Amino acid sequence: MYLFKKKNQTGKSYYYLGENKRVNGVTIRIKEIYLGNADKIYELTHSEKSLEKINTYESGLTIALLQQIRESGLYKILNEVLPFRIRGIPASVVVIIILLNKIIDPKSKNKISLWYNNSVLCKLLPLSTDKLSSQFFFDCLRELNQKRIERIEYRMAKNVKITEKLDSILCDMTHIETYISEHEGNKLPQRGRTRIKTGRRIVNLVLMITRNNSIPLFHMPYPGNINDVTEFAEVVKILEKRYAFLTGNGKKKITIMIDKGNNNEENINGLDDMGYYFIGRLRPSNYEDLLEKPLTEFKDIYDKNIISYSIFKNIYSKRRKLVIKFDKKSFDKSHEEFVDLIERREREIQYLEKNINYKLKNGGKRSKLHWSKKENVENAIKRILNKKPTKNLFSYALEQSKDKINIEININKEEYNKRINLIGKYILFTNRKRWSHKKIIKAFLDQYLIEDQYKTLKGDRIKISPLNHWTDDSIRADIFLSVLSLQLMNLLLMKIKKKEIKLSNKKILDTLEQIKTTYYKLKSSNYDFDMINEMEGDEKLLYEKLNLKDKKTYSYIKRAFKEK
């Protein structure tokens, strides 16, 4: 049932509960229950005698996403690509439940039913939670084979093309951890190189996004033991063909961002040979001669914080364009951290000295014997001073007597100046030789866009990692649903920003989650109705701008059960 109001001839509003039914393709109202005017409704909702409160649910983000699913064409695409039911439930609705769960409150497959019971979806869908078992969702994943995934992804990219410019895109790779042990027939989860050496199997993922609003277009998982860029380029080649087919653009519009960990001659020249454009970063410590120029010779101005100069130089046996940039904000932050680190090392040495002197005076026989040996004291000093990144930065002098030591440390001025000279400076290199310094720096700074998308995928909202699937097909399907969730969420954020709502992405999502609906039941009736909770500030702004009160914008989800 739903709440609606009528106005009489004097202009006063009176409220009713209504129930609709679809007859011969037309929606008609089959039942009305009179509730009264606004004062009577207030009295009802605050009276324990006549009204029973059922529950309060988050509704803002759920309804906004349901609207976006319809507006983006995703619902239509899902219905056409997945025109069947899984245990009596439309496959399109199952996918929508998974997408909403991933964005709002990611749960494992066997806990989605618990989330569903506490979501406003349980009031919007005529669905028994008994059906929402983990096996039910795994059955859905099995239906999402590679062919269907590609069809949905391509058609969604086609729809994105209508609202988003696709003339320049970013492409990068990441890895997703799994808890999977070796499983016969699996090719995706493999042991590969990661920054945090956990030893777990990983699945690599390449993602292609739009530069303007970070909307994912295409993705592709590939085996975790493929680490070098040349093999990565083969994966990009597959996505590039899809992109070219969609837009008519080719490799010239794709910029691949290369992590400095993948810099070597074979990898970089491999990308060159395949005709791809890239922007990478060189380790400043390997090219210190390029950083020795005084800042007065950094003539190219990007903005008030960033200056640079450009040269051409042979890098990995080929002529590249290099942009050496200095970022004042980065310098200030890193310099402060560097000074704090030096002070921390000095405090650690002072604590060590105090601790050893106490043990030499008051310690047991074994402790006194241990610290009376100069070698043991020196090893303890070196363990502190040789920690990264202060290795080679300090020298020390040790004075030792029978019951006391004295440690003096000094900063190596030459090494200190060398470190300071590296702070805030970056060496960018590219085979886009005709690009200006501004374009190259902008592309480098835009790298955070795709890195942010990977953080979102792995963060608290979508939570793609760790993967908990055994077969390659299930892994592909789950990764696809995570990327599709990210696409849906970013399309919603893009729509909101176009309405000139100046809130951060996190603030938008958090505020929408604060919009809640309470369901009530008349004690004299079997019917319940919903009322939106009181809202303030940003909640009210988003509610009105997105027209969340219009139930017609998301009633399609309920009709899905009645459509053949």
Side-chain angles (χ1 to χ4, degrees):
M1 305 235 7
Y2 61 93
L3 189 70
F4 70 96
K5 69 180 178 180
K6 290 182 180 179
K7 287 186 178 180
N8 63 12
Q9 291 180 348
T10 62
K12 291 183 179 179
S13 296
Y14 294 90
Y15 292 83
Y16 294 78
L17 279 178
E19 184 177 359
N20 289 350
K21 188 176 181 181
R22 201 169 180 85
V23 179
N24 297 325
V26 179
T27 302
I28 61 172
R29 188 177 299 135
I30 61 169
K31 190 171 290 186
E32 285 184 7
I33 299 176
Y34 174 69
L35 297 175
N37 59 18
D39 291 335
K40 183 70 182 294
I41 295 290
Y42 181 84
E43 185 182 330
L44 283 171
T45 57
H46 290 75
S47 170
E48 293 182 3
K49 294 180 181 179
S50 57
L51 204 62
E52 180 184 340
K53 179 179 174 181
I54 300 173
N55 207 345
T56 298
Y57 304 98
E58 174 281 316
S59 60
L61 185 53
T62 300
I63 291 171
L65 289 168
L66 287 173
Q67 286 180 343
Q68 191 60 45
I69 287 168
R70 182 182 60 84
E71 291 170 14
S72 66
L74 177 57
Y75 177 64
K76 182 182 178 183
I77 292 168
L78 291 175
N79 269 340
E80 291 174 359
V81 178
L82 307 170
F84 50 83
R85 293 181 176 237
I86 300 171
R87 302 189 189 183
I89 301 174
S92 57
V93 173
V94 182
V95 170
I96 288 169
I97 291 172
I98 295 173
L99 296 179
L100 294 180
N101 174 254
K102 279 182 176 289
I103 295 171
I104 297 169
D105 187 17
K107 299 291 183 187
S108 61
K109 300 297 180 287
N110 62 347
K111 290 184 179 177
I112 290 181
S113 61
L114 294 175
W115 165 79
Y116 177 85
N117 276 335
N118 293 299
S119 163
V120 74
L121 275 180
C122 73
K123 306 302 290 185
L124 301 179
L125 294 175
L127 179 61
S128 169
T129 54
D130 295 340
K131 293 185 176 181
L132 301 181
S133 64
S134 58
Q135 189 57 52
F136 170 77
F137 290 107
F138 285 124
D139 289 345
C140 176
L141 291 180
R142 273 198 288 270
E143 295 294 342
L144 281 169
N145 57 38
Q146 186 66 33
K147 189 175 180 181
R148 284 173 175 155
I149 287 172
E150 289 178 9
R151 282 178 65 194
I152 295 170
E153 185 171 66
Y154 178 78
R155 290 184 60 181
M156 276 302 292
K158 203 172 178 181
N159 288 352
V160 170
K161 183 183 174 184
I162 298 169
T163 56
E164 175 78 324
K165 290 182 179 179
L166 304 185
D167 56 347
S168 183
I169 63 171
L170 298 173
C171 190
D172 199 2
M173 55 185 159
T174 190
H175 68 268
I176 307 162
E177 284 200 345
T178 77
Y179 289 135
I180 303 168
S181 58
E182 189 171 354
H183 191 64
E184 188 177 349
N186 273 4
K187 293 182 180 178
L188 288 177
Q190 301 290 339
R191 301 194 194 281
R193 187 177 63 195
T194 61
R195 287 186 183 131
I196 302 172
K197 297 178 180 178
T198 60
R200 298 193 188 107
R201 295 177 186 276
I202 61 171
V203 176
N204 285 328
L205 173 67
V206 59
L207 189 63
M208 199 174 265
I209 68 168
T210 64
R211 179 172 281 175
N212 292 335
N213 289 291
S214 304
I215 310 296
L217 289 176
F218 301 109
H219 81 288
M220 188 172 178
Y222 62 101
N225 57 356
I226 295 179
N227 293 314
D228 62 82
V229 180
T230 48
E231 290 184 84
F232 163 69
E234 292 289 347
V235 178
V236 174
K237 193 173 183 179
I238 296 169
L239 298 189
E240 181 252 322
K241 286 179 181 177
R242 295 179 198 170
Y243 170 72
F245 188 68
L246 175 68
T247 63
N249 297 323
K251 296 175 182 177
K252 290 184 179 180
K253 299 294 183 180
I254 299 174
T255 303
I256 297 173
M257 310 307 294
I258 301 175
D259 187 271
K260 60 179 181 284
N262 285 315
N263 286 351
N264 64 55
E265 186 167 343
E266 184 182 356
N267 289 348
I268 299 304
N269 290 340
L271 279 178
D272 244 346
D273 295 341
M274 295 184 75
Y276 285 106
Y277 287 112
F278 61 83
I279 293 176
R281 187 152 57 111
L282 298 172
R283 294 183 187 277
S285 56
N286 293 342
Y287 298 88
E288 291 180 19
D289 57 309
L290 298 175
L291 305 177
E292 288 174 357
K293 275 193 177 187
L295 292 179
T296 52
E297 294 187 32
F298 285 58
K299 301 291 187 182
D300 300 328
I301 299 173
Y302 180 78
D303 60 23
K304 64 179 182 180
N305 289 308
I306 298 175
I307 54 177
S308 67
Y309 75 91
S310 304
I311 61 168
F312 287 91
K313 185 179 176 70
N314 279 349
I315 301 292
Y316 302 126
S317 305
K318 290 191 179 182
R319 190 169 174 79
R320 320 279 187 194
K321 184 167 186 176
L322 273 63
V323 174
I324 297 87
K325 82 178 184 80
F326 173 77
D327 188 330
K328 188 178 185 305
K329 278 177 96 172
S330 176
F331 174 84
D332 290 343
K333 182 182 177 184
S334 299
H335 182 263
E336 185 179 349
E337 290 172 352
F338 186 57
V339 171
D340 287 346
L341 190 60
I342 290 173
E343 291 174 353
R344 194 190 313 161
R345 294 288 183 265
E346 289 172 342
R347 288 195 299 271
E348 288 174 333
I349 292 295
Q350 288 171 5
Y351 177 79
L352 177 69
E353 180 184 270
K354 185 179 178 182
N355 191 37
I356 292 174
N357 282 332
Y358 176 83
K359 289 181 178 179
L360 286 172
K361 188 175 181 181
N362 303 304
K365 187 176 179 181
R366 290 180 66 183
S367 181
K368 285 181 179 180
L369 180 63
H370 178 81
W371 292 115
S372 64
K373 295 179 180 178
K374 188 175 182 180
E375 179 187 356
N376 293 335
V377 177
E378 287 185 332
N379 287 339
I381 295 170
K382 289 174 185 176
R383 276 196 298 271
I384 293 172
L385 298 183
N386 288 342
K387 289 180 189 175
K388 290 182 179 180
T390 55
K391 190 175 182 179
N392 302 326
L393 186 61
F394 294 96
S395 60
Y396 70 90
L398 174 64
E399 293 180 6
Q400 187 170 9
S401 62
K402 185 179 179 181
D403 57 358
K404 189 177 181 182
I405 66 163
N406 182 58
I407 307 170
E408 284 189 15
I409 60 171
N410 294 295
I411 294 175
N412 182 329
K413 291 294 182 184
E414 184 180 344
E415 186 67 25
Y416 176 83
N417 291 334
K418 188 190 293 185
R419 303 281 181 93
I420 292 295
N421 188 49
L422 297 178
I423 294 175
K425 292 177 181 176
Y426 303 86
I427 305 173
L428 312 181
F429 75 109
T430 181
N431 55 353
R432 285 194 178 273
K433 297 175 185 177
R434 294 185 181 180
W435 271 19
S436 66
H437 72 280
K438 284 194 172 184
K439 257 192 167 182
I440 294 169
I441 293 173
K442 176 69 167 61
F444 169 73
L445 295 177
D446 280 348
Q447 187 176 9
Y448 83 90
L449 295 172
I450 197 161
E451 287 173 352
D452 277 357
Q453 299 315 303
Y454 285 135
K455 285 178 185 175
T456 304
L457 277 173
K458 297 176 182 180
D460 291 336
R461 282 217 177 266
I462 296 175
K463 218 168 185 175
I464 195 173
S465 181
L467 289 166
N468 289 304
H469 297 281
W470 289 95
T471 66
D472 283 356
D473 289 342
S474 291
I475 290 169
R476 283 193 190 93
D478 194 59
I479 290 174
F480 164 67
L481 290 172
S482 294
V483 173
L484 190 58
S485 300
L486 180 66
Q487 185 186 60
L488 175 65
M489 188 172 77
N490 286 358
L491 285 170
L492 173 63
L493 293 169
M494 181 178 76
K495 179 177 80 171
I496 291 171
K497 286 176 181 175
K498 284 183 177 179
K499 294 181 183 292
E500 297 183 351
I501 297 175
K502 299 187 183 301
L503 298 172
S504 69
N505 290 349
K506 185 179 185 305
K507 180 70 172 173
I508 288 169
L509 297 171
D510 289 347
T511 303
L512 282 171
E513 281 190 301
Q514 294 307 308
I515 299 173
K516 300 184 186 296
T517 298
T518 300
Y519 278 77
Y520 297 93
K521 179 178 176 295
L522 287 170
K523 289 186 176 179
S524 59
S525 169
N526 292 324
Y527 297 106
D528 57 31
F529 66 95
D530 62 285
M531 293 187 68
I532 196 75
N533 287 16
E534 191 174 342
M535 295 176 289
E536 295 179 358
D538 294 335
E539 294 168 19
K540 196 170 184 181
L541 174 67
L542 286 168
Y543 183 80
E544 291 172 355
K545 288 281 188 180
L546 295 175
N547 193 24
L548 298 182
K549 65 181 178 182
D550 187 358
K551 296 188 176 183
K552 292 178 183 176
T553 60
Y554 57 89
S555 59
Y556 70 88
I557 193 75
K558 194 169 186 177
R559 292 199 302 271
F561 284 82
K562 299 174 184 178
E563 294 168 355
K564 291 185 179 180

